[in-house]
Amino acid sequence: MPAAGSAELAGNPFTTRSERLPASLGVRLLRWWIPGGLCLIGTVLLVADGFDTFGASAFGGFAGAGLSVWLINFLWRMGVSGDDERELEGQDRVFLATRGRWPTTRERAHMKAHGHWPDEERTPPDGAN
């Protein structure tokens, strides 16, 4: 049984969204611009050589390198997003074990926003009013 939190991801098996993944300029550069640049260099060399032997070899090398960088980034992101899904399902299974039913989407959203289930009482830390 899939986790309630992963229901929106069920339509696309290649979703790689995760809160753990950085989205800084350097990461975007590595994820998209370097692979794209390598493929573009290969294409330019292929066209500049008139689709001859050197151009085809250069295109194969640069495009292969660019696609390899993109693929390793994609696979890494897929692995990290899988960790998130396993954690969500683990939380849902604890909920199932203690309450005898699977959490609803609303309960899952509350858990994600507040860090506890809606029916759990939270006591303030010692010394707080």
Side-chain angles (χ1 to χ4, degrees):
M1 181 178 282
S6 64
E8 67 272 3
L9 305 178
N12 184 2
F14 300 111
T15 299
T16 59
R17 284 180 271 151
S18 174
E19 293 176 3
R20 298 179 190 194
L21 295 170
S24 66
L25 178 62
V27 171
R28 284 190 306 239
L29 181 73
L30 181 63
R31 190 178 303 147
W32 295 108
W33 292 101
I34 290 175
L38 288 169
C39 290
L40 181 65
I41 289 170
T43 304
V44 167
L45 290 173
L46 177 66
V47 172
D49 191 46
F51 299 92
D52 205 7
T53 307
F54 170 76
S57 297
F59 173 76
F62 278 101
L67 291 174
S68 295
V69 171
W70 178 83
L71 182 63
I72 196 70
N73 276 294
F74 176 76
L75 292 174
W76 181 75
R77 291 174 56 79
M78 224 172 154
V80 170
S81 65
D83 292 345
D84 291 344
E85 290 177 22
R86 277 188 289 282
E87 282 184 14
L88 286 174
E89 185 156 354
Q91 291 173 350
D92 291 346
R93 289 189 183 278
V94 168
F95 185 94
L96 174 67
T98 57
R99 294 167 181 85
R101 64 179 177 80
W102 203 255
T104 64
T105 306
R106 176 176 278 177
E107 290 167 328
R108 161 77 16 235
H110 186 277
M111 174 63 159
K112 186 175 181 179
H114 302 288
H116 63 87
W117 296 108
D119 59 352
E120 292 177 343
E121 280 190 38
R122 287 292 180 203
T123 58
D126 292 340
N129 289 330

